[in-house]
Amino acid sequence: MARKFRVVVNGKEYIVEVEELGQSTVAQVVQEVVQPKVVSQTTTSQNQVVEKQLEKPVVSQQVQSSKPQTSSAVSKTAHEVKSPMAGIILKVTVSEGQKVSRGQKLAVLEAMKMENDIVSEYEGVVAKILVKEGDTVETQQTLMIIE
């Protein structure tokens, strides 16, 4: 699964695409976002302003990480509970090993000053909880695994 991020490094903005490949992650800069900048202005005899712009450099680099990925370790019978939006985990209402039923509240997520209940779409046992109270999560980040 590939995810795109907008990153600012040393004042330059880049769009980075991160793809999970087994036990490692590969990141590639897809494009550099360059805002046109005025290098110089000159006035012609008809009082028209002429502007020159910087050329957009070509950027391509790869970053590898040996950080293990959760999704590759999930068995076929396990279900991932993912965050529907970015926010902060206010409360985790279940514990590992606890049986859960469909519709049961698993966690409370604060997003845009609103509290949102994360409920189970599956019936089973909580195998692993990957977040704790106070953690910041991204959209579609795995919060817990239910088997």
Side-chain angles (χ1 to χ4, degrees), residues 85-121:
M85 62 190 83
I88 298 172
I89 299 295
L90 293 181
K91 187 172 188 176
V92 178
T93 59
V94 294
S95 58
E96 289 184 9
Q98 180 178 339
K99 283 188 177 184
V100 293
S101 58
R102 213 178 160 140
Q104 181 176 344
K105 185 184 342 181
L106 303 173
V108 179
L109 173 74
E110 180 186 311
M112 298 180 283
K113 307 270 184 199
M114 300 275 296
E115 290 185 7
N116 302 282
D117 291 341
I118 307 298
V119 296
S120 177
E121 295 178 13

Side-chain angles (χ1 to χ4, degrees), residues 74-80 122-124 145-147:
V74 177
S75 71
K76 298 291 182 195
T77 60
H79 302 283
E80 293 181 344
Y122 314 103
E123 204 168 289
I145 298 170
I146 298 176
E147 293 182 334

Side-chain angles (χ1 to χ4, degrees), residues 22-74:
Q23 294 296 323
S24 65
T25 301
V26 175
Q28 180 177 6
V29 177
V30 176
Q31 79 183 67
E32 178 181 0
V33 179
V34 176
Q35 301 297 330
K37 295 182 183 178
V38 176
V39 176
S40 65
Q41 288 186 346
T42 57
T43 307
T44 63
S45 59
Q46 291 96 8
N47 289 332
Q48 294 176 335
V49 176
V50 178
E51 298 177 351
K52 294 181 181 178
Q53 296 179 354
L54 292 175
E55 290 186 27
K56 186 165 115 178
V58 178
V59 178
S60 179
Q61 63 189 60
Q62 290 190 351
V63 180
Q64 290 202 4
S65 167
S66 60
K67 182 179 175 183
Q69 298 299 315
T70 307
S71 20
S72 62
V74 177

Side-chain angles (χ1 to χ4, degrees), residues 4-6 13-17 28-33:
K4 289 187 178 181
F5 299 93
R6 186 175 298 262
E13 196 171 89
Y14 300 91
I15 296 177
V16 179
E17 186 174 302
Q28 180 177 6
V29 177
V30 176
Q31 79 183 67
E32 178 181 0
V33 179

